[in-house]
Amino acid sequence: MATAVLACLVTAGCGAEGDGGGAGATERSAQEILDDANEAMSELTSVTVEGNTIKVGSSSGRSSRLTTDLDSRCTSEVTWDATGAVLEQIRIGETDYVRPNRAYIENWSGKPMAGPQNIWFKTPVSDAQPGDGLSACPRDFTSFGTAKKGEPTEVDGTPAIALLVTDKSVKEGAYTFYIATEGEPYILKVAYKGTDYRTTTTYSAFNKPLDVRPPAKSLDASKLGE
């Protein structure tokens, strides 16, 4: 289950059941507030999602940054602390443009690589596989588990309410959702604390103009080895 939680929160594809933000948050139930937050997030035209995961007892982890229209255009960068591997991605429709750095290629291939690596590779989205570090543009904001209201707080200066969310499928972990209580009831941050992993996901740049373009030059991955 820890692996499922990691995948869920690092890619920021999960919602939770609990309180939401917006006007009157103190009078409304946790479920009502969170449902409103999930609905508001689902209606976004763009958002930036930043995730950080650390294995308990270790200083190494994985960080990611995704900017997406929640549909078919997004950019992503994932970094693995232990190896220094970095994978950049631009997804436009059914095409991925990916740029792995030297450390990523060496870690993936198990062989040393000569010289720097700055090439973008063009590949079909259909070639993407689970665990390869590539991100999907859509996000599924849905509620789960049991939510309980926490204390009023702030996230980067924005007033918010904290919601503790537990789920019977995650017996030794809990989520804290931070929902804006001024303006739109957006999810500002989700923190997961478990016995194996601790993950923080933040959301920002709501509905900001999105400019996703292919790189000026790229190499068709299907032609490699020809």
Side-chain angles (χ1 to χ4, degrees):
M1 180 52 63
T3 301
V5 169
L6 170 62
C8 172
L9 291 180
V10 165
T11 60
C14 294
E17 187 172 306
D19 289 10
T26 57
E27 292 81 19
R28 295 154 65 219
S29 72
Q31 182 64 61
E32 289 173 330
I33 297 173
L34 188 58
D35 286 348
D36 284 350
N38 286 326
E39 182 178 355
M41 296 295 287
S42 297
E43 293 175 353
L44 289 169
T45 58
S46 67
V47 65
T48 293
V49 185
E50 296 181 81
N52 187 275
T53 298
I54 297 179
K55 186 175 182 180
V56 174
S58 172
S59 59
S60 65
R62 163 177 160 164
S63 60
S64 63
R65 179 182 175 89
L66 171 75
T67 298
T68 176
D69 67 356
L70 300 176
D71 185 17
S72 61
R73 300 173 71 87
C74 56
T75 62
S76 172
E77 182 173 315
V78 183
T79 301
W80 289 264
D81 297 337
T83 61
V86 178
L87 183 64
E88 296 175 83
Q89 173 194 359
I90 300 171
R91 177 166 290 188
I92 301 175
E94 297 301 317
T95 302
D96 273 328
Y97 300 89
V98 295
R99 181 164 67 176
N101 71 349
R102 178 175 175 174
Y104 182 98
I105 292 178
E106 290 182 336
N107 186 64
W108 172 76
S109 66
K111 299 178 181 179
M113 177 182 176
Q117 159 44 28
N118 295 310
I119 299 173
W120 285 94
F121 297 94
K122 180 181 178 180
T123 180
V125 168
S126 58
D127 285 354
Q129 299 293 326
D132 60 12
L134 294 179
S135 297
C137 302
R139 292 285 161 249
D140 179 21
F141 295 101
T142 54
S143 298
F144 67 92
T146 301
K148 179 180 178 181
K149 286 185 182 180
E151 297 297 324
T153 185
E154 289 188 354
V155 177
D156 294 332
T158 299
I161 186 168
L163 308 173
L164 181 65
V165 179
T166 55
D167 188 83
K168 61 182 180 180
S169 65
V170 187
K171 297 182 179 180
E172 298 183 4
Y175 306 86
T176 303
F177 280 69
Y178 298 85
I179 312 299
T181 54
E182 289 186 2
E184 294 293 331
Y186 293 139
I187 300 172
L188 303 176
K189 182 170 71 172
V190 180
Y192 170 78
K193 183 180 292 186
T195 56
D196 296 322
Y197 294 95
R198 293 185 179 182
T199 302
T200 301
T201 305
T202 60
Y203 300 85
S204 62
F206 304 108
N207 290 328
K208 296 295 183 182
L210 191 64
D211 185 16
V212 178
R213 303 181 184 182
K217 294 182 179 180
S218 62
L219 179 63
D220 192 335
S222 66
K223 299 186 180 300
L224 294 177
E226 290 186 357

